[in-house]
């Protein structure tokens, strides 16, 4: 099938590449000339395991093309996926300017029947507006479909290739059938393609992310209560996770969620609910708890040193990205923590396996970047673990001890066993464990 994907960001590039990997002819469009030029050379703008190899292979074999011409992409394709950014606006709603601009241009360049697919995460009712915009700019027939993405950064290729489900919101039987045909090779394992109304599909994406964010904020509050009561959250987690009604996933306590999806989607859902006078008190609390949780480790640091004055103190930080497997820094818990330490006079030495370049937008002039994890600890008063990269799971603790001024670790991701840390002579702080 012939597919056009507008936008070569995280969602668009992964979707276009995976469609090409399954034999479709795909053209990815972006107005950023440098990005398109780089993609043609095999230079990938994001860090995602396995993506670079897939892009290179499919581009070389001619199934994956890159262009700045939306007209060429629309005219040569039956499916047009809109996968541009929908950043949070000042009032918390999703900014849809880029989506609507693409819709207008698609309408102007159509040369026949097209299936226009909202792949970007958009509020309920966006497809209606896209349909209205396209209708004003074309006399050709078309259908608008909602096809939300459910990709986890760091595992996006596998998520797209072997989805747990594919959600298709469509009004037209023809569009629903063709979309099902496009996705059928991805669900040969028997996982469902679920067809529903467009508005239901748009809401499904927000409902999923808001629920997962709720689990994270809930367990973080339980972990904080463990700290206050002298309980061990790791034990509580195991007791909760073995209940089939709850499940084991998303029960790990830490310093809050970040990234491109959860924060933005929670805020957009709250804004949508506000607009229709259906307040969501639980979801508002999820947002409030998460913002507070990002300061939890900072509070522990200040409490340990019995002062907010960090002048003369040096901290070695492992991990900057909001999660392992990505260089994404959006809403990362490391940002408010480092800002607070820097504001209070601390010297900060950092290492992240992937996010050095993207983090410079936030931290240039505030931190000293180190070439590896251990060098970030040289002469530091304490080690702070902020992102649970695999290479941090089983480090050389004796080496860590020898590099630090004192054996002090603040673990924002509960990676290490408190009993082992104490046995090795560390003063160890985590979230809800002791």
């Amino acid at each position: 099938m012939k597919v056009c994907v507008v936008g070569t960001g995280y969602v668009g590039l992964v979707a276009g590449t995976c469609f090409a990997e399954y034999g479709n002819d795909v053209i990815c469009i972006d107005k950023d000339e440098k990005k398109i030029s780089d993609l043609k050379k095999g230079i990938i703008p994001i860090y995602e395991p396995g993506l670079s190899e897939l892009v290179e292979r499919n581009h070389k074999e001619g199934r994956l093309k890159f262009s700045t011409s939306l007209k060429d992409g629309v005219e040569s394709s039956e499916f047009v996926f809109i996968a541009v950014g929908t950043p949070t606006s000042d009032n918390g709603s999703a900014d849809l300017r880029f989506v609507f601009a693409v819709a207008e241009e698609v309408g102007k360049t159509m040369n026949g029947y097209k299936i226009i697919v909202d792949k970007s995460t958009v509020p309920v009712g966006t497809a209606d507006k896209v349909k209205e915009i396209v209708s004003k700019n074309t006399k050709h027939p078309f259908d608008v479909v909602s096809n939300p993405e459910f990709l986890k950064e760091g595992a996006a290729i596998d998520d797209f290739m072997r989805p747990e489900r594919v959600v298709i919101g469509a009004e037209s039987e023809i569009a629903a059938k063709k979309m099902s045909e496009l996705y059928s090779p991805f669900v040969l394992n028997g996982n469902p393609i679920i067809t529903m109304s467009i508005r239901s599909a748009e809401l499904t994406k927000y409902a999923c992310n808001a629920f997962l964010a709720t689990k994270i904020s809930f367990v973080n509050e339980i972990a904080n209560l463990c700290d206050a009561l002298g309980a061990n959250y790791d034990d509580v987690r195991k007791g909760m996770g073995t209940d089939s009604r709850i499940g084991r996933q998303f029960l790990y306590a830490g310093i809050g969620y970040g990234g491109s999806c959860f924060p933005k989607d929670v805020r957009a859902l709250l804004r949508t609910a506000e607009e229709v006078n259906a307040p969501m008190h639980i979801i508002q609390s999820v947002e409030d708890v998460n913002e507070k949780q990002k300061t939890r480790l900072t509070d522990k640091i200040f409490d340990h040193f019995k002062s907010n004055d960090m002048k003369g103190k040096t901290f070695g930080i492992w991990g900057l990205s909001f999660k392992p497997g990505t260089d994404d820094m959006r809403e990362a818990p490391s940002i408010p923590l480092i800002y607070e330490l820097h504001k209070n006079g601390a010297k900060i030495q950092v290492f992240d396996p992937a996010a050095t370049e993207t983090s410079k937008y936030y931290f240039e002039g505030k931190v000293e970047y180190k070439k590896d994890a251990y060098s970030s600890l040289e002469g530091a008063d304490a080690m702070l673990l902020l992102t649970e990269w695999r290479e941090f799971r089983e480090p050389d603790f004796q080496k860590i001890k020898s590099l630090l001024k004192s054996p002090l670790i603040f673990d924002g991701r509960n990676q290490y066993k408190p009993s082992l840390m104490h046995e090795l002579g560390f003063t160890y702080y985590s979230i809800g464990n002791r």
Side-chain angles (χ1 to χ4, degrees):
M1 295 185 174
K2 297 187 180 300
V3 177
C4 171
V5 179
V6 186
T8 59
Y10 183 79
V11 173
L13 187 57
V14 169
T17 302
C18 290
F19 280 136
E21 177 71 6
Y22 273 59
N24 297 288
D25 292 321
V26 179
I27 180 167
C28 289
I29 307 297
D30 202 293
K31 64 181 181 181
D32 187 328
E33 293 183 3
K34 183 180 186 307
K35 185 186 283 189
I36 292 299
S37 176
D38 285 346
L39 284 166
K40 288 179 179 179
K41 299 172 185 174
I43 302 172
I44 308 300
I46 59 174
Y47 176 84
E48 179 63 36
L51 182 59
S52 179
E53 295 83 354
L54 288 182
V55 169
E56 183 178 359
R57 178 168 69 246
N58 284 280
H59 182 58
K60 182 178 180 180
E61 294 179 2
R63 291 189 298 270
L64 181 61
K65 298 182 175 66
F66 300 102
S67 175
T68 57
S69 173
L70 181 60
K71 182 175 185 293
D72 290 348
V74 172
E75 288 182 348
S76 64
S77 304
E78 181 177 7
F79 298 90
V80 180
F81 283 77
I82 301 177
V84 294
T86 55
T88 301
S89 61
D90 291 339
N91 67 359
S93 62
D95 185 343
L96 300 175
R97 288 176 298 167
F98 304 118
V99 172
F100 295 155
V102 171
E104 181 178 355
E105 194 66 22
V106 168
K108 291 177 179 178
T109 56
M110 283 171 55
N111 59 341
Y113 173 73
K114 307 292 177 183
I115 298 174
I116 301 168
V117 186
D118 283 337
K119 194 67 175 172
S120 302
T121 300
V122 293
V124 177
T126 300
D128 295 335
K129 296 175 183 177
V130 168
K131 183 177 180 180
E132 181 182 343
I133 291 169
V134 175
S135 296
K136 289 179 180 178
N137 290 281
T138 189
K139 294 181 179 179
H140 292 290
F142 67 93
D143 282 305
V144 176
V145 170
S146 174
N147 173 221
E149 54 88 12
F150 299 98
L151 306 180
K152 299 186 295 293
E153 293 191 44
I157 301 299
D158 192 60
D159 285 346
F160 200 99
M161 297 284 204
R162 287 170 284 277
E164 291 183 328
R165 79 293 201 194
V166 175
V167 172
I168 297 170
E171 296 174 348
S172 156
E173 287 188 13
I174 293 175
K177 182 175 181 292
K178 287 184 174 293
M179 285 291 292
S180 295
E181 290 173 357
L182 177 64
Y183 274 105
S184 61
F186 296 90
V187 292
L188 295 178
N189 56 6
N191 284 346
I193 295 176
I194 306 170
T195 303
M196 59 183 70
S197 71
I198 292 175
R199 288 193 167 220
S200 296
E202 289 173 328
L203 183 55
T204 296
K205 167 66 175 181
Y206 283 102
C208 288
N209 279 359
F211 183 78
L212 295 175
T214 300
K215 287 187 76 172
I216 293 171
S217 284
F218 175 82
V219 302
N220 281 335
E221 287 217 303
I222 295 295
N224 294 344
L225 185 59
C226 286
D227 275 337
L229 296 176
N232 190 307
Y233 177 70
D234 195 46
D235 293 334
V236 175
R237 176 182 62 80
K238 292 172 184 175
M240 291 172 62
T242 49
D243 188 324
S244 61
R245 297 167 299 176
I246 297 173
R248 293 181 172 86
Q249 292 186 316
F250 283 81
L251 294 186
Y252 292 92
I255 49 176
Y257 59 76
S260 62
C261 293
F262 286 4
K264 177 173 69 73
D265 293 352
V266 165
R267 291 168 194 153
L269 186 60
L270 287 169
R271 181 61 179 171
T272 297
E274 182 183 316
E275 289 171 352
V276 296
N277 196 29
M280 305 184 77
H281 303 295
I282 292 175
I283 303 304
Q284 182 61 63
S285 295
V286 168
E287 166 82 353
D288 295 342
V289 168
N290 190 62
E291 288 306 300
K292 180 62 177 173
Q293 195 68 18
K294 290 181 180 180
T295 69
R296 184 70 178 167
L297 207 63
T298 316
D299 293 341
K300 288 175 179 280
I301 293 168
F302 291 158
D303 287 346
H304 173 83
F305 289 105
K306 296 180 173 54
S307 172
N308 287 18
D309 185 358
M310 294 292 116
K311 290 177 182 176
K313 297 288 189 296
T314 299
F315 295 95
I317 292 181
W318 286 12
L320 300 172
S321 58
F322 87 94
K323 64 177 285 188
T326 180
D327 62 350
D328 197 338
M329 286 294 302
R330 287 171 287 185
E331 305 277 350
S334 64
I335 297 171
L337 184 146
I338 288 175
Y339 280 12
E340 190 67 16
L341 291 179
H342 178 265
K343 183 181 76 174
N344 285 278
K347 178 183 177 183
I348 304 165
Q349 302 171 168
V350 302
F351 172 75
D352 188 284
T356 294
E357 289 304 314
T358 52
S359 73
K360 288 179 180 178
Y361 172 81
Y362 303 93
F363 301 141
E364 193 75 76
K366 294 180 173 65
V367 304
E368 181 179 345
Y369 291 96
K370 295 295 186 177
K371 62 181 181 180
D372 59 57
Y374 292 110
S375 61
S376 71
L377 304 181
E378 292 177 356
D381 291 275
M383 166 187 159
L384 279 57
L385 191 147
L386 306 185
T387 312
E388 64 274 35
W389 286 90
R390 287 180 181 174
E391 65 187 78
F392 300 158
R393 298 279 176 89
E394 295 187 0
D396 184 337
F397 288 109
Q398 292 302 330
K399 186 172 183 178
I400 291 174
K401 202 172 180 181
S402 70
L403 292 169
L404 295 172
K405 288 182 182 177
S406 60
L408 175 60
I409 295 178
F410 293 90
D411 182 354
R413 297 300 180 182
N414 290 357
Q415 286 298 283
Y416 310 129
K417 292 182 179 180
S419 58
L420 175 62
M421 295 296 96
H422 299 322
E423 182 182 320
L424 292 173
F426 284 94
T427 300
Y428 177 73
Y429 295 91
S430 58
I431 309 296
N433 292 331
R434 37 178 87 229

